[in-house]
Amino acid sequence: MLLRIIFSLLIFLTGCLYCMTVTLAVGEWVPYTSCSNSDCKIAEHIVKEAFKLEGIDVEIVYYPWKRCYEMTKSGECDGTFPWYSNDERETLFYVNRENLLTSKEVFFHRKDLDFEWESLDDLKNYNIGGTLGYSHVDFLEKNGIAVDIVNDDITNFKKVLGERIQIFPADYIVGEHLIKTNFNAQEANTLTYNPKALSGEKSMRLLVSRTIPDGKNLATKFDNGLKELKSSGRYQQILNSVNE
């Protein structure tokens, strides 16, 4: 009888392991994350499929990016993605090690603006926009550069078109997608970007709360699943879909 009970418990615990669900918070960042557009969930698909390979289901919840960060820090949700890693985040969260996405932030501007820059000091000559909750705001402000902050990238594009700001930084894939899907041909043809990256190409990661049980192991499992997804070719297939 005792052996039967132990065997039943093992089956129950094994079943729980393979039906584990984690809750991850993301904001709007098309074409990588989106609460409404099923064609703009590239990062979401990658994360879900990587965890699935480790027997873990993912529930996605949508909030402004700053709130996603705070919810993960407090343990209100298990994690958030995609974020750049830095010293502060390495301290506050468990950060996975395998690259989730590579982002290159560039400055978008009107074509009729003669915009070139070499150093951060050069940027002080321009009216610069920024998006709330994005790391470029802190980066620019810490370097003594004033930033006009709004809630989303689309508003920044509208401000560039209306010449209320001159430049603003955004991931170049995200920026080009937003221009293509939110503005008419004449408006889109007015916009361009300088190819020089704000701070080089950056790897993006999953942040896992340090307040949840076994958070470190969760980050490791994600790394394992992500490596398998890449080796199978499925990761690149998902990335390629952004241009389809």
Side-chain angles (χ1 to χ4, degrees):
M1 177 63 72
L2 179 60
L3 288 175
R4 183 177 298 175
I5 293 173
I6 293 173
F7 182 69
S8 298
L9 284 172
L10 287 173
I11 293 176
F12 173 77
L13 291 172
T14 302
C16 288
L17 176 64
Y18 286 98
C19 67
M20 178 182 177
T21 300
V22 296
T23 301
L24 305 178
V26 301
E28 192 78 5
W29 201 41
V30 296
Y32 296 125
T33 63
S34 177
C35 65
S36 57
N37 192 331
S38 60
D39 295 326
C40 296
K41 296 176 180 282
I42 304 301
E44 293 180 51
H45 292 322
I46 291 171
V47 170
K48 283 186 174 183
E49 292 193 26
F51 269 124
K52 193 69 174 180
L53 291 171
E54 292 295 304
I56 299 172
D57 290 331
V58 174
E59 178 186 358
I60 302 288
V61 293
Y62 301 91
Y63 295 98
W65 284 109
K66 189 171 183 179
R67 185 174 177 189
C68 294
Y69 189 90
E70 294 301 325
M71 288 173 67
T72 301
K73 187 167 69 172
S74 67
E76 191 175 346
C77 66
D78 299 309
T80 181
F81 68 91
W83 292 83
Y84 303 132
S85 178
N86 57 33
D87 291 341
E88 177 186 86
R89 292 168 189 172
E90 291 281 350
T91 301
L92 294 175
F93 306 96
Y94 294 115
V95 181
N96 85 292
R97 296 306 170 200
E98 185 71 14
N99 182 30
L100 170 56
L101 292 169
T102 299
S103 175
K104 179 183 175 182
E105 278 195 314
V106 298
F107 283 102
F108 284 84
H109 59 91
R110 289 174 59 103
K111 288 181 179 178
D112 56 13
L113 175 68
D114 183 18
F115 172 64
E116 295 290 339
W117 70 286
E118 292 298 328
S119 69
L120 291 175
D121 281 341
D122 295 335
L123 299 175
K124 296 177 182 179
N125 299 317
Y126 297 91
N127 295 323
I128 302 177
T131 304
L132 182 67
Y134 286 23
S135 61
H136 61 239
V137 173
D138 287 340
F139 177 77
L140 291 169
E141 289 182 337
K142 285 178 180 177
N143 283 280
I145 300 169
V147 183
D148 185 357
I149 304 169
V150 297
N151 288 327
D152 57 79
D153 287 338
I154 295 175
T155 301
N156 271 318
F157 275 119
K158 290 178 179 177
K159 292 179 72 173
V160 169
L161 285 168
E163 299 185 77
R164 288 178 287 160
I165 58 173
Q166 294 173 293
I167 60 175
F168 92 97
D171 176 274
Y172 77 101
I173 292 177
V174 172
E176 290 193 315
H177 180 85
L178 289 176
I179 292 171
K180 179 181 177 181
T181 56
N182 290 275
F183 300 95
N184 62 41
Q186 181 179 353
E187 291 170 328
N189 193 49
T190 304
L191 298 166
T192 187
Y193 67 85
N194 184 291
K196 180 178 172 62
L198 175 57
S199 53
E201 291 191 356
K202 291 185 176 181
S203 296
M204 306 201 77
R205 302 285 195 258
L206 168 74
L207 307 183
V208 178
S209 178
R210 284 185 176 268
T211 67
I212 64 170
D214 214 19
K216 186 176 183 179
N217 188 47
L218 184 64
T220 299
K221 283 183 174 294
F222 176 67
D223 275 331
N224 293 339
L226 186 54
K227 288 176 184 177
E228 185 175 347
L229 198 69
K230 288 181 177 181
S231 65
S232 71
R234 175 59 180 158
Y235 173 88
Q236 191 60 48
Q237 184 181 22
I238 296 172
L239 280 186
N240 291 343
S241 67
V242 74
N243 295 319
E244 293 178 354

